[in-house]
Amino acid sequence: VFTHEAAHAAHSRWITPSTPHDTAQFAAAALLEEARAEHAHLRRRPSDRRFLRTAIHTLILADITRDTPTDTWQAGWAAGLILARRDAGILASDETQHLENVVTTVLGTKILHTLHDIWTAVRTTADDDTNGMLRHATAWCEALTADPHEREPAPDPTAKHGQLGDAVDQVINRIAINEAEEARLRDHAQTTRTAQRQAKAANTEHTKQAATTARDVFAAVGHPITPSHARGDHPDPPPVTGSRPPTPAEKAAASRLARALRAAAYRERTTTHAASTTPPGRLDMRQALAL
């Protein structure tokens, strides 16, 4: 509501002390100014649209209730408050469809089309154009067969009650549903962006840590490494880097290992004796008979 009033403070500058305030003309001009001021405000601050949408209930609660008669003037009032806001980009078509059907039933297609042309022209009227706003208001009154220089038309005692109020309730309920869905989508998008930022930061930190580790492990130190466990400082030896000539003891150990490997690869033939009940080899029948 504060955003709505800020829109009036910035753009409703056509109202002057000389403007007649007790006529149907001024009432129609003030009605048309509602959507015009909000439309002008959104041109400067489009992100305020959700504030204006959620304030609809408060802004029109005193104007259209279940006790409002469904007559020509009140149907035009509902169209100027709600359908004009739809065309100004504040409300959506699915939110106002039921109200448009009710208003069309009361006014007829031709009158509603005339009112649509009026509130469309009002959006291009300058903030300080008093005469322009009053001309549009006069056309509004004439379209609804009301005298612009008299007071607003009295409610029609024969008109039904509740249809406009029920339609406005449906508008408000649909706005609430759509706003809840948009809020859910905004929260999901924000959560996704936050997760992406955190993943990017973690990946950057991991890459930085990997580069630091690689630099510590593979960088040349330029001097011999003294194993820390030999000094008793730490049980784990440091990484082996660099090179040096072998010592005589290491050369002798390497020679012994080479000889042992060669001996293991080539072994001498050995003879194995095994007891057997029959002589080995081919049987000699002459010696067998001699035995």
Side-chain angles (χ1 to χ4, degrees), residues 86-108:
R86 175 202 61 192
D87 294 343
I90 300 165
L91 302 181
S93 298
D94 67 309
E95 298 164 347
T96 61
Q97 185 59 54
H98 181 66
L99 177 70
E100 184 177 8
N101 295 338
V102 173
V103 170
T104 303
T105 301
V106 177
L107 299 178

Side-chain angles (χ1 to χ4, degrees), residues 226-265:
T226 302
S228 58
H229 68 280
R231 302 192 305 266
D233 298 334
H234 195 276
D236 296 329
V240 177
T241 60
S243 62
R244 59 172 175 76
T247 63
E250 292 171 342
K251 289 182 178 181
S255 298
R256 289 194 298 272
L257 177 61
R259 286 195 299 272
L261 292 176
R262 286 194 296 270

